[in-house]
Amino acid sequence: MSEALKRPADKYSPLYFLASLGAGGISVTFFMVFFFWVKHPGQPVPVFEDIMAAFTTGSVPLKAAIVIAWVGIAVFAFLNIKSLIWNIGALNRFKKTDAYKALRNSNAESTLLAYPLALAMTVNVGFILGLVFVPQLWSVVEYLFPMAMVAFGLIAVIAFRIIADFLGRVLSKGGVFDVTAHNSFAQMLPAFAIAMIAVGFSAPAAMSTATVTVTASLIISTFLGVAAILYTVLAATSAISSMLQHGTHREAAPTLMVVVPIITVLGIMFLRQDHGLHTTFEVHGGAGETMIFLARLLSVQVVFLLLGMLVLRRQGYFNDFVMGSKTSPGSYALVCPFVALSVMTHFFTNKGLVAAGAIAKFGVAYWALSAIAIALMLVAIFLVFRLNAQHFGKTKPSGAVAVPAE
């Protein structure tokens, strides 16, 4: 059997769902071009008609940006869906093995939450594809919102069933959770999955005009968001003591930056909720308050990004697992922080600084900050193609296979 293992991905880990997640996240970063650079009067997000109008009448640089965004969304949405389909098939085969049984009785059981996490991202990507490429979508959007909430509801059921199995096992019995292997933020993956479902549920709050739909969106996304925050705090707190005693688990070191994408998706959820409260329930907030709120979120993200990069550099992670010959499925967790920070930088620039009047839209400061967001996106793109080549495109000796991080 070992001779048949010709690439790292042939030794499956649920963390490979992060390959789908990362590609989907990059599609979102390309959508930021339309969201913030294309005028979309009449609805809170740009649709096909808005983009075509901008492409027809816009400047040459805007037209070029639109074409690049179109291609980027299409390419990475394809990679997102392709990877998701592959992972679902691989997971179903993996469930028939002894390795799966061992995983379900170890700390690594929580890695199964990468499945609903990736599913939720793909639903978001599907909505972006509809907005960008489907004419007249907005005329039927009020019918799509309940369907989307049903889809996210089913994904939430999958996520909470996995969490219930995991927590039920480790909290009802003593000695089944290896605290010495808890020296990373890998156990925050369930919180990330819940947060991704929460931001999906919050979309109708910002976009629907039906009071019932907005109310349901606000309440359900609030529950999920609070659950994600509680899980994040508890998982991070319990992990820190183990990391201080045993150091950070080398293969799981990228999880030190998982706080970054969690904050981005929850931040977007809060912004969507605020918009829904404003348009439906006449609850008004100030632009300055939003600017400071986003600045605080961005500050926390930068702190955790710097912490993660410090540890990764000290451990030589990039030299071995990104640019070197060693492989780990947990490497795909590197993509998410750069995607998330790119998206948050766009929001801070546009919904924060520009909306508050601190900087002028399309001015020098605006383009300087946008350049940072684009640079972060390019890093994420590089990582996706590099890791895909390592794990799926190259033959490897049977010894150079991935080991799931705990």
Side-chain angles (χ1 to χ4, degrees):
M1 179 65 179
S2 61
E3 295 299 322
L5 298 175
K6 296 182 179 180
R7 58 182 187 174
D10 289 325
K11 185 173 182 180
Y12 185 71
S13 164
L15 289 176
Y16 277 118
F17 275 104
L18 298 181
S20 174
L21 176 74
I26 294 174
S27 287
V28 175
T29 62
F30 278 108
F31 182 71
M32 295 296 100
V33 170
F34 298 137
F35 191 44
F36 293 120
W37 298 355
V38 171
K39 295 180 180 179
H40 42 92
Q43 69 280 325
V45 290
V47 295
F48 175 81
E49 289 76 14
D50 299 317
I51 298 168
M52 288 303 300
F55 184 75
T56 302
T57 62
S59 63
V60 173
L62 179 59
K63 290 181 180 180
I66 289 173
V67 171
I68 293 171
W70 264 333
V71 174
I73 289 172
V75 168
F76 285 97
F78 171 76
L79 292 177
N80 165 260
I81 297 169
K82 176 185 176 183
S83 181
L84 180 68
I85 293 172
W86 178 84
N87 269 284
I88 291 173
L91 178 62
N92 288 335
R93 293 188 295 272
F94 181 60
K95 287 180 177 179
K96 301 174 183 178
T97 67
D98 291 336
Y100 175 75
K101 296 177 182 177
L103 180 141
R104 292 303 297 261
N105 289 283
S106 70
N107 291 17
E109 184 178 14
S110 61
T111 63
L112 291 171
L113 270 298
Y115 177 28
L117 173 60
L119 285 176
M121 173 58 82
T122 300
V123 174
N124 288 320
V125 168
F127 193 71
I128 287 176
L129 290 173
L131 292 175
V132 172
F133 294 111
V134 179
Q136 300 299 317
L137 181 73
W138 205 253
S139 63
V140 297
V141 75
E142 290 295 347
Y143 299 99
L144 298 179
F145 289 141
M147 295 172 60
M149 287 196 288
V150 169
F152 282 116
L154 293 174
I155 296 171
V157 170
I158 295 173
F160 280 111
R161 287 186 65 180
I162 298 172
I163 293 172
D165 287 342
F166 176 63
L167 292 182
R169 178 175 62 83
V170 301
L171 295 179
S172 63
K173 305 175 184 177
V176 297
F177 185 80
D178 187 357
V179 178
T180 62
H182 187 32
N183 52 338
S184 72
F185 282 168
Q187 294 302 327
M188 289 170 62
L189 189 60
F192 191 8
I194 299 171
M196 186 65 71
I197 299 168
V199 76
F201 260 112
S202 69
M207 303 180 203
S208 177
T209 57
T211 302
V212 173
T213 302
V214 172
T215 302
S217 173
L218 286 170
I219 293 174
I220 298 173
S221 63
T222 295
F223 167 76
L224 292 168
V226 169
I229 292 170
L230 290 174
Y231 206 113
T232 297
V233 172
L234 293 173
T237 302
S238 60
I240 287 173
S241 61
S242 182
M243 284 189 283
L244 290 174
Q245 293 181 51
H246 307 287
T248 302
H249 189 292
R250 192 161 185 250
E251 285 192 49
T255 64
L256 291 177
M257 299 183 289
V258 74
V259 173
V260 178
I262 290 175
I263 286 179
T264 289
V265 293
L266 289 177
I268 294 173
M269 181 197 76
F270 288 129
L271 290 176
R272 287 175 169 179
Q273 290 180 333
D274 286 344
H275 187 79
L277 289 169
H278 169 69
T279 57
T280 305
F281 297 104
E282 298 295 329
V283 177
H284 303 287
E289 293 174 328
T290 301
M291 179 182 68
I292 292 300
F293 169 70
L294 291 174
R296 290 167 179 164
L297 296 185
L298 190 59
S299 298
V300 176
Q301 290 180 306
V302 171
V303 168
F304 276 95
L305 182 72
L306 292 175
L307 173 64
M309 294 299 290
L310 172 65
V311 174
L312 289 170
R313 183 182 176 187
R314 289 290 183 91
Q315 292 185 335
Y317 187 93
F318 284 96
N319 290 336
D320 287 343
F321 292 100
V322 178
M323 305 308 298
S325 59
K326 295 182 180 180
T327 57
S328 169
S331 298
Y332 279 99
L334 291 171
V335 179
C336 301
F338 292 100
V339 166
L341 203 57
S342 175
V343 172
M344 182 57 76
T345 302
H346 278 298
F347 271 91
F348 175 64
T349 302
N350 291 272
K351 297 294 187 181
L353 297 174
V354 172
I359 63 172
K361 189 162 188 176
F362 304 136
V364 175
Y366 182 91
W367 287 119
L369 291 169
S370 296
I372 294 173
I374 293 170
L376 291 165
M377 179 186 71
L378 292 176
V379 172
I381 291 172
F382 165 77
L383 287 171
V384 164
F385 285 123
R386 172 63 183 172
L387 294 174
N388 283 350
Q390 281 186 310
H391 290 260
F392 296 94
K394 294 181 179 180
T395 57
K396 293 282 184 181
S398 60
V401 295
V403 179
E406 296 186 337

